Amino acid sequence: MGVLKMNRAPLSYACAALLLATSATVGLAQSGRGGGGASATSVGSGATSVGPTGSSGTIGSAGSAASGGSSASTVGTGGTSTGPAGTSSTVATGGSAAGIKPETRSRVKNDPNNLDARSRARAEGIDHARSRSETRTRIHHGQLETRTKTEARPTGGGQDVKSETRLRNGVLEQK
């Protein structure tokens, strides 16, 4: 059995180049608690990488809201990769709701150069409380975008508690 000799310098340079060419973002939007125990939170994350033979990127966001015995949550994620063989992209989404009259809707639309995934969830709680969450994730002409909005109405009324996170190409956008 022979001994395998390997020059590690090219591997070290490749790893260093990959670290320098990769960027990542994580964002947490305002989350709050209102009167009546209402809360709303959203979060997003994205990363891109560019190398000598291609590029790739991932993005995603999610959020949840709760108030008066109701809750609603949505999530969306997407990714794209371009290399010598072409481009491949994917999106996914989903949601859940619990409480009085829970309702969820999700859809994925596939048009040329455009993947669009959306989820909505909502439910009512006791004493006029309500929870809602909505997530949209898109890959449009190679651009990655995601947005999650959440909203909770406290029991007995009052000001809604809201949260929103937006990312474009891995960069957190402020509203």
Side-chain angles (χ1 to χ4, degrees), residues 71-74 94-98 103-104 120-122 133:
S71 65
S73 301
T74 56
S96 66
E103 181 183 330
T104 59
R120 291 181 180 164
R122 67 184 207 175
S133 183

Side-chain angles (χ1 to χ4, degrees), residues 36-89:
S39 66
T41 304
S42 61
V43 65
S45 177
T48 59
S49 176
V50 178
T53 60
S55 62
S56 64
T58 61
I59 200 163
S61 66
S64 63
S67 181
S70 68
S71 65
S73 301
T74 56
V75 62
T77 184
T80 188
S81 177
T82 301
T87 299
S88 178
S89 300

Side-chain angles (χ1 to χ4, degrees), residues 33-39 66-69 126-127 129 152-159 161:
R33 290 190 89 67
S39 66
S67 181
I126 59 170
D127 196 20
R153 176 178 293 153
T155 55
Q159 187 171 1
V161 178

Side-chain angles (χ1 to χ4, degrees), residues 6 10 13 17 21-23 25 35 40 42 60 66 81 91-92 97 101 114 116 134 137 156-157 159 166 170 172 174:
M6 181 179 188
Y13 293 134
T22 302
S23 66
T25 301
S42 61
S81 177
V91 292
K101 299 181 187 175
N114 187 32
D116 190 347
E134 179 181 336
T137 304
Q159 187 171 1
R166 290 180 184 216
L172 185 64
Q174 297 299 323

Side-chain angles (χ1 to χ4, degrees), residues 8 11 17 24 49 65 68 70 106 112-113 116 142 149-150 161:
R8 294 184 183 186
L11 180 59
S49 176
S70 68
S106 297
N113 297 313
D116 190 347
K149 293 168 44 172
T150 59
V161 178

Side-chain angles (χ1 to χ4, degrees), residues 143-161:
Q143 305 294 310
L144 295 119
E145 303 171 11
T146 189
R147 179 190 77 212
T148 295
K149 293 168 44 172
T150 59
E151 180 180 310
R153 176 178 293 153
T155 55
Q159 187 171 1
D160 290 356
V161 178

